[in-house]
Amino acid sequence: MQYLVAAVVLVGLLCMVNLLLTVGVIRRLRSQSKSMPPPAMAEGLSPGARVPTFAAMTTSGEPISDELLGAPALVGFFSQGCQPCKDLLPLFVERARGTSDAVLAVVDTGPGEDSADYVERLAEVARVVVEAPQGPLQTAFKVNAYPTVITIDAGGTVAGSGHTMPAEVRTP
């Protein structure tokens, strides 16, 4: 019986030491996180930035580059299997259909994913580029979350960037 009581006391003491160490680690992590600002979620190029240099081939075999894009323009980045992308796609197509701006759509397709549905819907209203994750266009436009819609004004600078449909772009 004495051995059992000693074992229970020993396990209890070890649990208390473990608890104190855990509380110390949590306090240190909290103090470090207060001194560091939270990371900003990138949505692509910032408003006022120039359109980056890029070159790609559309699904129809047409070359596209920063020089051939034109301004003003609407650029959309979509990813297969992304529910917000599926929700935004009809709005993007409707907006592209009702604008005289140049429209470019980039579909991010991973290995084994079929982008035919996205390409078919977007090809009606835009020049479409299909590329692997973190492809040249996504890197050039600093896109790391989907969907991302970037509007370019008549001067060739970014007017807006976000994960929703932006307001109409007006010529200055």
Side-chain angles (χ1 to χ4, degrees), residues 88-98 121-122 124-125:
L88 186 67
L89 188 64
L91 299 172
F92 184 85
V93 169
E94 180 182 327
R95 168 76 177 276
R97 190 170 279 128
R121 292 175 67 186
L122 290 165
E124 298 172 8
V125 295

Side-chain angles (χ1 to χ4, degrees), residues 64-171:
I64 185 77
S65 69
D66 53 310
E67 297 170 352
L68 298 173
L69 179 60
L74 178 65
V75 183
F77 293 85
F78 300 92
S79 178
Q80 282 295 121
C82 158
Q83 188 58 46
C85 294
K86 290 177 184 176
D87 297 341
L88 186 67
L89 188 64
L91 299 172
F92 184 85
V93 169
E94 180 182 327
R95 168 76 177 276
R97 190 170 279 128
T99 186
S100 61
D101 299 350
V103 180
L104 174 64
V106 180
V107 179
D108 172 63
T109 305
E113 292 180 332
D114 182 23
S115 62
D117 181 45
Y118 276 44
V119 171
E120 182 181 325
R121 292 175 67 186
L122 290 165
E124 298 172 8
V125 295
R127 292 181 270 186
V128 181
V129 175
V130 175
E131 64 182 21
Q134 295 307 310
L137 284 172
Q138 296 165 57
T139 303
F141 282 90
K142 299 180 181 176
V143 172
N144 63 1
Y146 302 97
T148 297
V149 179
I150 298 173
T151 53
I152 301 168
D153 65 17
T157 60
V158 174
S161 176
H163 301 296
T164 59
M165 278 309 299
E168 279 294 327
V169 178
R170 299 282 180 220
T171 305

Side-chain angles (χ1 to χ4, degrees), residues 6-17:
V8 169
V9 169
L10 181 64
V11 169
L13 288 173
L14 288 174
C15 287
M16 291 300 290
V17 169

